[in-house]
Amino acid sequence: MPDNITRYELPPAGITLLGYVVRRMHKTQWLMSVPALLAENKTSEALAQIAMYAVTSSTSFGRAYYQPQFNPAGAEISEADTVTGAIVTAKLVSTSPHYLITYTAAMPNGDLFSGSEEITGTTVGLRGLGMPAPSKFNFESGMYTAHLTGILTSELALSFIGRTRIRAYGFLNFNDNANNTGKLTIDRKEFISLEINNKKMRLQFV
C-alpha cells in the first residue's frame, strides 16, 4: 500500500479518530460492481467484493504520520467518498470500557454497508503495539444480504528514526442469504487469503 493512501487517511492538517475511520472507509469502489454481479446471479463474486471492502475499509498499511485526536463519546462525522459519492458516517458510541465505533457507507444506488468495531485495548509485543478490534459488518442490496464477523488487529510497528508504520492482521468469516459461505485472512505483509465455497484466492491489499 503506497504511503499516499495513509497520507489521505492522516492528512497534514490533522484529523480526529472518527475522521480517520471515515477516510479509511473511502474505498467504496470495491462495492460498485456488486449490483451488476447480483443482477447476473453471481452472488459468490458479489460476496467476495463485499468481503474485500470490509477488510480494506477496516485496515491501513503505510506510514503512521501521527495519532489522530480523540473524539468525545457520541460524536459523529460524515464525509462523501470523492471517488464514488458514497456517504460514509462514523459514530463513537462509547469510550468505556472500550472504544465502540459504528459506521455506515450509503451507496448512491441505495445499497448499504454497515458495521461496528470495538477496540478492546492495546497489546505490546516484539512486532509492535497491537489494537485488536472484534468487528461485525452487514451489507444490504435489495433482497440480498451478507454478514461478516471477525477480529482485525491494527498494529504500530515502531521505529526510532521516525518511520513508524501502521499495518494490520486478522480474519473474517462471512455468509449471505444465497447460501454462500467464506473466510478471509490478512497478514502483516498486506496479503489477503480469501476462500468462498471452498474456492481459494490470494490477493494483495490495494
Side-chain angles (χ1 to χ4, degrees):
M1 174 65 66
D3 282 344
N4 64 335
I5 301 297
T6 49
R7 181 77 285 181
Y8 174 74
E9 296 169 350
L10 298 168
I15 201 167
T16 65
L17 174 62
L18 290 180
Y20 161 72
V21 170
V22 167
R23 288 289 182 93
R24 190 185 66 190
M25 292 179 67
H26 282 180
K27 303 181 181 89
T28 56
Q29 62 265 33
W30 279 107
L31 301 176
M32 292 296 287
S33 63
V34 171
L37 291 170
L38 294 177
E40 297 175 10
N41 201 33
K42 296 180 179 179
T43 54
S44 62
E45 290 91 336
L47 184 57
Q49 294 295 107
I50 295 162
M52 287 298 295
Y53 176 67
V55 70
T56 58
S57 68
S58 301
T59 55
S60 295
F61 285 85
R63 186 174 176 183
Y65 293 93
Y66 55 83
Q67 178 175 305
Q69 300 172 3
F70 290 103
N71 301 92
E76 183 175 294
I77 290 179
S78 294
E79 185 181 10
D81 185 332
T82 57
V83 176
T84 67
I87 303 299
V88 178
T89 302
K91 180 177 181 179
L92 181 58
V93 177
S94 63
T95 58
S96 180
H98 303 135
Y99 274 78
L100 175 60
I101 300 171
T102 60
Y103 33 72
T104 59
M107 301 299 290
N109 72 332
D111 289 355
L112 182 67
F113 178 93
S114 60
S116 66
E117 64 182 64
E118 187 173 10
I119 304 172
T120 57
T122 302
T123 61
V124 180
L126 295 177
R127 292 175 178 255
L129 303 178
M131 289 157 281
S135 303
K136 299 178 181 179
F137 310 101
N138 296 289
F139 179 80
E140 301 174 20
S141 179
M143 299 298 292
Y144 177 84
T145 60
H147 309 281
L148 309 92
T149 61
I151 300 176
L152 297 169
T153 299
S154 294
E155 187 175 70
L156 287 176
L158 303 178
S159 169
F160 293 109
I161 58 174
R163 298 288 292 180
T164 296
R165 311 289 291 181
I166 187 170
R167 58 194 181 192
Y169 62 91
F171 72 92
L172 291 174
N173 296 312
F174 44 89
N175 61 78
D176 64 15
N177 63 346
N179 297 318
N180 299 297
T181 61
K183 58 184 178 181
L184 176 155
T185 60
I186 183 169
D187 66 22
R188 293 178 173 90
K189 295 182 179 179
E190 308 178 41
F191 282 101
I192 295 170
S193 294
L194 178 66
E195 179 179 327
I196 295 182
N197 301 333
N198 297 317
K199 295 181 180 179
K200 296 182 179 180
M201 295 173 276
R202 186 165 170 82
L203 308 167
Q204 188 165 22
F205 190 109
V206 294

